[in-house]
């Protein structure tokens, strides 16, 4: 429909898409970056504790819209219902420029060497599609480093003997320790554990032309007012735009990937911000919508030659949807431990990521981000009444005297935990919505329970007078750590993309986000998504022979 | 077609007449009319118990004779919102309302307004946001708007372009250029609870026990909440000079100063934008020296010091400003030892003179 | 069903919407003096607000610190019932009526007139018999009390001050040009 052909169209301006757009634009390719959401500022949320990315009680602050983008969720008993963007079951990640990186907590973990070869390390797990990655930690190491230095990471891993080998240190020192940090560190050492400062995509000193963290209490879930949190929206995307080779179009909802009569990808069709259907021709299409929306887009891109969607010859797109099984414990202390110094999360251990007796994998444990007052209501132990004077007394006494430790247990991928295109329900633009079904593998819950016990022991050693666990349930997990739906592999019959994120049957179609994760580590995934985006961009550019004829 | 024209004419007439009709209705009955729309009830109740209760709604908010079409359009939109059940609540002042408010404040508070206008807090959007020296050394960010332009409805990207250290910078809304970035409403809540000020008060030259210390309207406009928080609700920091706790005056008005002239999270004296006094002036309230609206400080020295200081120096000609990096007597941290490195000589018969006000003056409510 | 709803939204043109608004305005212009009612609530009736206030006050009672009623929890809920919680309007209308009916049946009085003990007794029963509505009110009361003041509750940040969380925290920013004494 008359839009000028470009070299590449990137769908989704989040952690993966922002980086690919910048890498391609800097290499001289013409790029169109499509984002269904807006480019928000901190004013759009203003630290609203009931309407943010972590607490969507009154709606999503950073998209998607409650009315326009429903999903269908099928629970294990087969009961299905339509959910809105701000419902928990929606498994939302933000829909905006920067994606989750605008409002995340910003932990910047490298996966460990063993996280890339879970199958070889632990063997097969019944009921799980646990598999090795086709690339190793060593393949990604230079790209982890690039992400750390280009986007910006602070922290100090020197106390972590389990860390993967690195060539270059982190570019920024950690933030000064909080009161919780100073309580938890000696306790961990007494237990023979190895505590250290969490690496974070957050400025602790001026970096990248932006200020350091001012240490307010509203961090995870909120856009940063001093721009200290490093996301793609304030690093690579402005750089991509500055090349003048990249055009960002917001409010652009991609409908489908276009193919010609021979099945070759030729561009995308999308609804622009005025809801007009546009066709953007391109030499390459990069899908970076997050594990749920990327899978949905491939599945919705049906044609005569691809009746089940693109890359889906073997019914693999949308499978193995996973996130993290969060578990942990809370401890009540005799003295005030709250110091109102954000972001809260500060100290971690990786002692339980691997090598746990009779368990496959594990996860890190770290102290929790500051829990805002309303959020804390839900943290009361079971023996505190849910209402009345006793609950108020608990809040008043415990709010500044409690520490929480949480960790993301690495999940065992489940083949039937999946994203499908719903056959009936359509969104505002008439596009079939994502249909989510499945649940956690029982072993993921076992690992979560194990981590919770370890968290509780750490709090007890730190002097907690009362502790209680927070344990995982069996439901589907995806949310902000959603991953796995377009698995990376060498064999086209068991995977969707190759090690450079190229969809097997298409030489010009890529999926670059956590969809390609074979397994999701016992860590927050964002730095790995970024590293993979740099890795995939490098592979793509190596094979780039210039744009085709118009 | 004909019916439709008629329909449109009627609609048009309503559009034109509704604001006037509404105003006439609202103006009768001393404001109770305003409050019959429940979204205004809260503001009305607050006003009825406020220092400004003797002023009619229209004298600040405009009425039928207001010429600004935007005012009537806005009212009409509110009416439509009200009738369709989609009301914006709370009703907030809009950025364009603020210049109007300045003139209204000025009508009665002339001296205060003049003081403010001649002081640093009357700085304009263009002076604050197009300051080349600042913008070239650090990029503007949303947090700037916490203390300057707090009523601006948008992010920094919506105000200034480009956001980088290269410039050249321009305001995206040029009409803001000469408007004050810290208007009256930054520190005053008009509807705050309190008794009306007696009219013939003669302002004292310097703060003393006879001067009213604590206007009820003192409140921070919190940009995040888009609400005012009264001074009594705001925290005073526990400042430290390295490890030593610093004595802070309990004057609650300072809580307002500290919101913007704030230390870093370490609460170290002099960190961030902090100006807490240590040394010989430790424990004085900000407002002991900084006269309220104009922030003029020079005359305040005479409140405590004789014209010639104990040392025979004329304190009023000393360079005491924090702006001069080289000043040896920066008033915020000058210590006895700065001038007397070998110890302060004792002066026979010298007694510490009582300050003209005491800490007891500042009892927190 | 929601699918169809989405489609209808789509079909609305801005012009039609505008005419609709004008019509609404016209129809109601005559009754511009919607006065008389003078209730501070948008959705709740005065009786409903009284009942809801009394329930919320049992959920977070007044002690040395303000309770839910003084913190403006009803204002919060009423405002949300006109916003994102529009979908709970029917639940509230029916739920509050049911509670008053139960109160009348048991104690021959409206809920707001019960003693604290009677109210707690009734609410404890309700927690078992009408768990959905009761849990909704508990959650909304907690939001109105502990949530951000901008949404109509937590007046003067009363709950945050109770918890000892500095309201409008003091946070300066790192400066490139440091003052000489820092």
């Amino acid at each position: 429909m008359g839009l000028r052909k470009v070299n590449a169209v990137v769908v989704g301006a989040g952690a993966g898409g922002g980086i690919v757009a910048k890498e391609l634009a800097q290499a001289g390719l013409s790029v169109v970056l499509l984002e269904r959401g807006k480019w928000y500022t901190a004013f759009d949320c203003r630290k609203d504790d009931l309407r943010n990315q972590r607490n969507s009680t009154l709606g999503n602050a950073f998209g998607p819209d409650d009315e326009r983008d429903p999903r269908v969720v099928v629970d294990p008993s087969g009961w299905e219902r339509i959910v809105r963007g701000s419902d928990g079951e929606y498994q939302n990640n933000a829909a905006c420029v920067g994606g989750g990186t605008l409002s995340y907590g910003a932990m910047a973990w490298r996966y460990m060497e063993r996280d890339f070869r879970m199958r070889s390390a632990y063997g097969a797990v019944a009921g799980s599609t646990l598999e090795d990655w086709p690339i190793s930690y060593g393949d990604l190491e230079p790209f982890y480093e690039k992400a750390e230095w280009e986007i910006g990471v602070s922290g100090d891993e020197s106390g972590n003997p389990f860390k993967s080998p690195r060539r270059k240190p982190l570019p920024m020192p950690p933030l000064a320790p909080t009161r919780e940090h100073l309580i938890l560190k000696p306790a961990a050492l007494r237990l023979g554990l190895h505590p250290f400062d969490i690496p974070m995509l957050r400025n602790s000193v001026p970096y990248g032309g932006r200020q350091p963290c001012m240490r307010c209490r509203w961090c995870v879930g909120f856009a940063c007012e001093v721009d200290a949190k490093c996301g793609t929206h304030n690093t690579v995307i402005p750089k991509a735009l500055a090349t003048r080779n990249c055009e960002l179009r917001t409010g652009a909802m991609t409908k489908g990937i276009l193919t010609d009569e021979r099945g070759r990808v030729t561009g995308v069709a999308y609804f622009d911000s005025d809801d007009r259907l546009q066709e953007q021709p391109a030499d390459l299409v990069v899908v970076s919508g997050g594990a749920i929306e990327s899978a949905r887009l491939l599945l919705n891109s049906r044609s005569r030659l691809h009746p089940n969607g693109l890359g889906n010859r073997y019914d693999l797109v949308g499978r193995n949807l996973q996130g993290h099984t969060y578990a942990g414990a809370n401890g009540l202390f005799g003295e005030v431990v709250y110091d109102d110094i954000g972001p809260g999360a500060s100290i971690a251990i990786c002692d339980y990521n691997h090598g746990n007796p009779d368990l496959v994998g594990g996860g890190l444990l770290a102290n929790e981000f500051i829990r805002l007052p309303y959020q804390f209501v839900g943290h009361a132990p079971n023996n505190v009444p849910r209402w009345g004077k006793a609950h108020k007394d608990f809040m008043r006494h415990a709010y500044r005297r409690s520490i929480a430790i949480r960790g993301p247990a690495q999940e065992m991928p489940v083949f039937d935990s999946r994203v499908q295109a719903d056959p009936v329900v359509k969104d505002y633009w008439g596009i079939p919505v994502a249909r989510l079904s499945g649940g956690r593998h029982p072993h993921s819950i076992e690992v979560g329970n194990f981590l919770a016990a370890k968290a509780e022991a750490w709090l007890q050693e730190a002097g907690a007078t009362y502790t209680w666990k927070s344990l995982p349930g069996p439901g589907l997990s995806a949310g902000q750590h959603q991953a796995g739906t377009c698995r990376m592999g060498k064999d086209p019959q068991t995977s969707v993309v190759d090690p450079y994120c190229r969809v097997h049957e298409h030489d010009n179609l890529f999926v670059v986000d956590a969809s390609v994760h074979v397994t999701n580590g016992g860590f927050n995934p964002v730095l790995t998504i970024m590293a993979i985006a740099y890795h995939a961009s490098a592979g793509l550019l190596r094979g780039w022979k210039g744009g085709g004829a118009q | 077609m004909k019916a439709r024209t008629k329909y449109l004419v009627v609609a048009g007439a309503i559009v034109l007449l509704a604001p006037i009709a509404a105003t006439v209705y609202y103006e009768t009955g001393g404001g109770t009319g305003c409050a019959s729309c429940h979204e205004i009830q809260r503001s009305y109740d607050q006003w009825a118990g406020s220092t400004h209760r003797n002023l009619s709604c229209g004298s600040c908010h405009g009425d039928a004779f207001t010429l600004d079409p935007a005012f009537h359009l806005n009212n009409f939109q509110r009416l439509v919102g009200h009738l369709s059940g989609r009301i914006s609540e709370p009703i907030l002042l809009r950025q364009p309302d603020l210049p109007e408010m300045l003139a209204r404040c000025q009508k009665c508070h002339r001296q205060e307004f003049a003081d403010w206008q001649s002081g640093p807090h009357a700085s304009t959007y263009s002076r604050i946001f197009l300051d080349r020296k600042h913008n070239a050394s650090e990029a503007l960010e949303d947090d700037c708007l916490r203390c300057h332009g707090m009523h601006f409805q948008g992010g920094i990207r919506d105000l200034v372009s480009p956001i980088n250290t290269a410039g050249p910078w321009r305001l995206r809304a040029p009409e803001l250029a000469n408007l004050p970035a810290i208007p009256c409403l930054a520190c005053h809540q008009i509807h705050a609870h309190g008794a009306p000020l007696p009219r013939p008060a003669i302002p004292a030259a310097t703060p003393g026990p006879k001067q009213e210390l604590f206007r009820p309207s003192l409140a921070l406009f919190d940009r995040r909440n888009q609400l005012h928080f009264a001074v009594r609700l705001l925290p005073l920091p526990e400042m430290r000079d390295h490890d030593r706790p610093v004595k802070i005056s309990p004057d609650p008005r300072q809580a307002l100063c500290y919101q913007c002239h704030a230390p870093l999270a370490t609460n170290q004296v002099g960190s961030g934008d902090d100006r807490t006094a240590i040394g010989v002036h430790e424990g004085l309230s900000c407002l002991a020296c900084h006269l309220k609206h104009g922030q003029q400080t020079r005359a305040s020295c005479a409140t405590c010091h004789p014209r010639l200081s104990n040392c025979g120096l004329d304190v009023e000609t000393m360079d005491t400003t924090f702006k001069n990096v080289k000043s040896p007597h920066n008033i915020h941290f000058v210590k006895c030892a700065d001038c007397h490195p070998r110890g302060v000589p004792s002066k026979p018969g010298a007694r510490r003179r009582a300050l003209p006000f005491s800490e007891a003056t500042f009892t927190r409510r | 069903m929601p699918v169809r709803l989405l489609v209808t939204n789509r079909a609305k043109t801005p012009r039609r919407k505008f005419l609709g608004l004008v019509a609404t305005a016209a129809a109601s212009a005559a009754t511009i003096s919607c006065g008389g009612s003078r209730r501070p609530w948008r959705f709740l009736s005065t009786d409903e607000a009284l009942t809801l206030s009394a329930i919320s006050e049992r959920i977070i009672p007044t002690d040395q610190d303000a309770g839910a009623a003084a913190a403006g929890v009803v204002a919060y809920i009423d405002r949300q019932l006109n916003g994102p919680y529009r979908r709970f309007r029917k639940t509230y209308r029916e739920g509050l009526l049911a509670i008053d009916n139960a109160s009348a049946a048991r104690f021959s009085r409206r809920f707001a007139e019960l003693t604290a003990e009677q109210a707690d007794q009734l609410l404890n029963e309700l927690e078992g018999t009408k768990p959905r509505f009761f849990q909704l009110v508990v959650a909304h009361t907690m939001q109105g009390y502990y949530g951000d003041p901008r949404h109509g509750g937590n007046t003067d940040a009363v709950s945050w001050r109770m918890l000892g969380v500095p309201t409008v925290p003091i946070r300066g920013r790192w400066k490139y040009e440091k003052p000489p004494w820092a």
Side-chain angles (χ1 to χ4, degrees):
Chain A
M1 285 227 313
L3 287 180
R4 195 174 58 84
K5 184 178 175 185
V6 292
N7 293 140
V9 56
V10 179
V11 181
I19 286 173
V20 175
K22 176 248 171 192
E23 288 291 293
L24 301 192
Q26 279 191 341
L29 277 70
S30 56
V31 180
V32 164
L33 179 54
L34 297 179
E35 169 53 54
R36 65 173 165 149
K38 297 178 189 157
W39 195 335
Y40 291 101
T41 69
F43 188 75
D44 292 301
C45 168
R46 303 198 314 271
K47 312 291 192 190
D48 188 337
D49 68 353
L50 296 179
R51 192 175 158 276
N52 59 71
Q53 190 60 30
R54 181 160 260 204
N55 189 324
S56 54
T57 296
L58 298 180
N60 284 329
F62 306 118
D65 188 81
D66 262 357
E67 308 298 323
R68 293 187 166 199
D69 300 89
R71 279 178 186 162
V72 173
V73 169
V74 188
D75 77 4
S77 64
W79 171 254
E80 57 184 83
R81 59 195 201 91
I82 297 172
V83 293
R84 295 159 315 128
S86 58
D87 292 332
E89 302 96 314
Y90 188 89
Q91 306 290 352
N92 186 29
N93 198 348
C96 60
V97 175
T101 73
L102 175 72
S103 58
Y104 58 6
M107 290 197 194
W109 299 103
R110 294 179 174 211
Y111 287 178
M112 289 160 67
E113 287 175 310
R114 249 191 286 183
D115 293 325
F116 293 91
R117 41 185 188 88
M118 290 293 286
R119 177 67 180 270
S120 315
Y122 293 98
V125 173
S128 170
T129 47
L130 191 70
E131 201 41 82
D132 287 351
W133 290 51
I135 52 175
S136 69
Y137 171 79
D139 295 326
L140 272 190
E141 201 284 334
F143 301 97
Y144 271 126
E145 180 186 296
K146 191 170 180 183
E148 286 167 349
W149 284 78
E150 281 204 359
I151 319 276
V153 175
S154 63
D156 180 4
E157 287 185 305
S158 60
N160 177 17
F162 308 102
K163 65 175 181 290
S164 315
R166 55 161 65 243
R167 295 179 307 172
K168 221 168 150 184
L170 294 174
M172 288 180 272
L175 289 167
T178 57
R179 203 175 292 170
E180 287 191 5
H181 184 118
L182 297 174
I183 292 168
L184 291 173
K185 187 170 183 178
L189 291 171
R190 285 196 298 275
L191 289 170
L193 303 171
H194 303 83
F196 59 98
D197 294 271
I198 303 172
M200 301 264 204
L201 286 141
R202 177 181 293 101
N203 285 4
S204 59
V205 292
Y207 194 81
R210 288 173 290 104
Q211 293 223 357
C213 173
M214 71 194 292
R215 317 213 61 179
C216 79
R217 70 176 79 112
W218 301 271
C219 192
V220 62
F222 302 93
C224 182
E225 289 159 341
V226 294
D227 246 348
K229 221 154 38 173
C230 315
T232 53
H233 65 288
N234 58 10
T235 55
V236 286
I237 292 173
K239 276 185 196 151
L241 300 179
T243 64
R244 298 186 176 275
N245 292 331
C246 176
E247 187 194 338
L248 170 66
R249 294 182 197 152
T250 56
M253 182 67 191
T254 305
K255 177 172 178 271
I257 298 162
L258 303 170
T259 48
D260 62 17
E261 64 283 0
R262 285 170 300 153
R264 188 177 159 76
V265 170
T266 57
V268 300
Y270 71 95
F271 291 98
D272 68 14
S273 51
D274 295 324
D275 298 335
R276 286 173 308 213
L277 186 61
Q278 305 276 8
E279 289 189 1
Q280 175 61 59
D283 295 315
L284 308 168
V285 172
V286 180
V287 180
S288 301
I292 294 173
E293 292 296 313
S294 285
R296 175 187 173 206
L297 179 56
L298 293 183
L299 293 170
N300 277 333
S301 301
R302 296 193 180 118
S303 61
R304 190 177 50 81
L305 289 173
H306 307 101
N308 302 317
L310 290 173
N312 199 29
R313 181 182 302 262
Y314 299 102
D315 186 25
L316 291 170
V317 171
R319 298 276 186 183
N320 302 314
L321 178 64
Q322 59 198 294
H324 280 120
T325 299
Y326 264 88
N330 310 275
L332 199 54
F333 288 74
E335 75 281 4
V336 168
V337 295
Y338 180 86
D339 57 5
D340 201 38
I341 305 284
S346 152
I347 186 168
I349 52 169
C350 289
D351 294 69
Y352 303 118
N353 276 74
H354 290 285
N356 303 311
D358 304 323
L359 292 178
V360 179
L364 77 99
L365 282 176
N367 69 326
E368 197 28 312
F369 289 90
I370 287 185
R371 290 152 293 155
L372 297 168
Y374 173 61
Q375 209 183 343
F376 193 76
V377 169
H379 280 69
N382 284 333
N383 55 2
V384 169
R386 302 285 109 178
W387 58 280
K389 170 109 172 91
H391 184 270
K392 189 180 182 188
D393 286 340
F394 167 79
M395 290 292 290
R396 189 164 37 209
H397 177 76
Y399 185 71
R400 294 196 302 151
R401 289 178 180 81
S402 81
I403 298 180
I405 291 177
R406 293 276 184 284
Q410 169 144 215
E411 294 191 336
M412 298 300 106
V414 177
F415 194 63
D416 286 331
S417 286
R418 65 189 296 199
V419 180
Q420 290 164 286
D422 195 89
V424 180
V425 181
K426 296 187 171 54
D427 67 11
Y428 169 84
W429 299 270
I431 309 168
V433 305
R435 175 186 174 89
L436 311 179
S437 56
R440 286 194 173 108
H441 191 280
H443 193 70
S444 304
I445 295 165
E446 270 180 60
V447 177
N449 292 344
F450 167 82
L451 285 179
K454 295 299 178 188
E456 194 169 33
W458 187 3
L459 288 164
Q460 283 162 351
E461 179 62 30
T465 52
Y466 184 78
T467 55
W468 65 102
K469 287 181 195 152
S470 102
L471 296 171
L476 183 72
S477 96
Q480 276 153 214
H481 293 186
Q482 54 186 261
T485 54
C486 300
R487 175 176 277 202
M488 178 191 280
K490 285 177 179 149
D491 181 356
Q493 297 196 20
T494 57
S495 61
V496 178
V497 300
D498 75 8
Y500 285 99
C501 298
R502 193 186 302 259
V503 175
H504 284 307
E505 295 160 26
H506 299 270
D507 66 345
N508 63 343
L509 176 62
F510 297 78
V511 178
V512 184
D513 57 29
S515 309
V516 306
H517 291 195
V518 178
T519 51
N520 212 18
F523 296 102
N524 305 51
V526 75
L527 197 74
T528 302
I529 299 172
M530 290 170 169
I532 282 172
Y534 281 116
H535 180 255
S537 305
L540 190 160
L541 288 171
R542 253 200 311 279
W544 174 248
K545 296 184 180 69
Q550 288 265 353
Chain B
M1 189 70 187
K2 208 175 173 186
R4 185 194 246 188
T5 317
K6 204 164 141 193
Y7 185 53
L8 282 175
V9 167
V10 171
I14 289 166
V15 171
L16 287 173
L17 294 174
I20 297 167
T23 311
V24 169
Y25 169 72
Y26 290 147
E27 283 293 298
T28 52
T32 48
C34 300
S36 59
C37 289
H38 28 234
E39 58 267 39
I40 300 178
Q41 178 80 42
R42 213 172 174 174
S43 296
Y44 171 79
D45 290 345
Q46 286 171 343
W47 165 80
S50 79
T51 52
H52 290 99
R53 68 183 78 153
N54 296 332
L55 297 174
S56 72
C57 305
S59 56
C60 288
H61 294 286
D63 54 25
F65 304 107
T66 304
L67 290 176
D68 179 11
F71 168 82
H72 295 291
L73 184 67
N74 187 37
N75 282 350
F76 180 69
Q77 282 167 347
R78 279 188 188 149
L79 179 67
V80 170
H82 172 83
L83 295 172
S84 62
R86 297 193 181 277
I87 321 153
S88 73
E89 197 188 358
I91 290 182
L92 300 167
L93 283 171
R94 304 161 308 149
Q95 169 69 41
D97 298 331
L98 287 160
E100 312 278 330
M101 285 308 298
L102 290 171
R104 288 167 192 148
C105 298
Q106 187 184 15
K107 258 195 317 202
C108 298
H109 304 279
R110 294 197 186 182
Q111 184 60 52
E112 289 86 349
F113 192 88
D115 287 347
W116 165 79
Q117 213 164 23
S118 62
H121 285 164
S123 201
T124 60
Y125 274 87
S126 62
R127 272 190 58 191
I128 299 276
F129 293 101
L130 304 181
D131 180 334
R132 277 200 207 164
K133 194 173 161 224
H134 173 281
N135 293 3
S137 67
E138 54 184 298
L140 291 167
E141 59 196 20
D142 282 318
D143 193 52
C144 299
L145 292 158
R146 184 157 55 97
C147 294
H148 318 90
M150 55 286 284
H151 295 94
F152 179 74
Q153 299 290 306
I156 192 75
R157 269 197 281 122
D158 306 313
L159 179 64
V160 183
S161 176
I163 300 298
N164 61 27
T165 49
W169 304 273
R170 62 177 181 85
L171 290 174
R172 297 185 64 173
E175 68 273 15
L176 293 176
N178 295 318
L179 291 181
I182 311 169
C184 311
L185 294 174
C187 301
H188 294 284
Q189 183 183 15
I190 310 305
H191 284 210
H193 182 80
L197 194 64
R199 200 43 80 95
I202 300 162
T206 53
K210 286 191 184 133
Q211 188 187 356
E212 188 189 37
L213 280 169
F214 202 118
R215 282 308 294 155
S217 72
L218 273 187
L220 173 83
F221 178 75
D222 175 37
R223 174 174 164 82
R224 291 172 181 142
N225 272 289
Q226 301 278 301
L227 290 173
H228 279 94
F229 284 96
V231 154
R232 72 189 155 84
L233 305 173
L234 301 173
L236 274 175
E238 287 170 14
M239 298 301 299
R240 305 186 82 80
D241 177 19
H242 300 285
D243 288 336
R244 182 181 69 87
V246 170
K247 195 178 158 202
I248 300 260
S249 159
D251 179 359
R253 295 173 300 173
Q254 293 180 113
L256 199 50
C257 313
Y258 270 113
Q259 280 293 327
C260 292
H261 298 281
L264 300 181
T266 55
N267 277 7
Q268 277 295 317
V269 166
S271 65
D273 273 302
D274 179 66
R275 304 268 184 272
T276 304
I278 51 172
V280 297
H281 297 112
E282 182 168 326
L284 291 185
S285 162
C286 309
L287 288 106
C289 303
H290 295 269
L291 301 189
K292 295 179 289 190
H293 288 97
Q295 298 294 304
Q296 299 89 340
T297 51
R298 187 56 76 183
S300 71
C301 300
T303 314
C304 304
H305 291 275
R307 196 178 117 67
L308 295 180
S309 76
N310 294 338
C311 329
L313 293 166
D314 181 353
V315 293
E316 295 198 30
T317 60
M318 289 163 70
D319 184 356
T320 54
T321 173
F322 71 91
K323 284 180 183 159
N324 183 352
V325 178
K326 291 188 184 118
S327 165
H329 354 84
N330 181 308
I331 203 152
H332 287 106
F333 58 88
V334 66
K335 298 179 181 63
C336 301
D338 289 337
C339 297
H340 304 284
R342 295 201 195 100
V344 183
S346 63
K347 198 173 161 190
R351 265 183 307 150
R352 212 185 147 82
R353 281 156 48 113
L355 295 174
F357 50 88
S358 71
E359 283 182 12
T361 322
F362 308 118
T363 39
R364 289 204 97 166
R365 282 197 289 171
Chain C
M1 170 70 171
V3 185
R4 204 173 307 132
L5 211 139
L6 291 161
V7 173
T8 9
N9 275 348
R10 181 95 202 279
K12 250 186 198 165
T13 64
R15 189 177 54 86
R16 276 190 58 179
K17 211 170 181 179
F18 173 70
L19 287 178
L21 288 179
V22 170
T24 327
S28 314
T31 55
I32 195 159
S33 62
C34 50
S37 70
R38 296 250 14 217
R39 63 193 164 105
W41 317 112
R42 289 183 188 174
F43 172 72
L44 298 169
S45 70
T46 310
D47 283 350
E48 286 169 335
L50 273 174
T51 305
L52 182 56
S53 178
I55 300 170
S56 71
E57 186 61 18
R58 296 319 305 152
I59 293 169
I60 305 176
T62 304
D63 48 19
Q64 66 264 43
D65 293 297
V73 163
V74 175
Y76 166 82
I77 295 175
D78 184 61
R79 198 192 286 182
Q80 305 320 318
L81 286 172
N82 225 52
Y85 287 172
R86 218 166 255 275
R87 63 186 189 278
F88 295 127
R89 281 182 163 195
K90 191 160 167 266
T91 316
Y92 267 91
R93 192 124 282 165
E94 293 171 357
L96 292 172
L97 185 66
I99 289 182
D100 261 336
N101 287 345
S103 172
R106 170 75 67 82
F107 301 107
S108 313
R109 260 181 287 171
R110 291 173 36 99
F111 185 87
E113 293 157 356
L114 299 183
T115 64
E117 291 70 31
Q118 291 171 327
D120 283 351
Q121 193 189 333
L122 202 61
L123 290 180
N124 272 312
E125 284 168 27
L126 210 76
E127 198 173 4
T129 55
K130 277 192 169 288
R132 247 194 86 235
F133 177 63
F134 186 72
Q135 276 161 23
L136 196 73
V137 178
V138 170
H140 293 179
T141 300
M142 296 295 172
Q143 290 158 18
Y145 189 77
Y146 292 108
D148 221 308
R150 76 187 70 173
H151 298 297
N154 198 0
T155 307
D156 285 347
V158 64
S159 71
W160 297 354
R161 287 184 293 130
M162 169 182 98
L163 300 182
V165 184
T167 297
V168 200
I170 294 169
R171 275 295 182 281
R173 262 164 45 192
W174 193 89
K175 305 275 286 180
Y176 279 72
E177 276 186 285
K178 287 211 153 208
W181 65 90

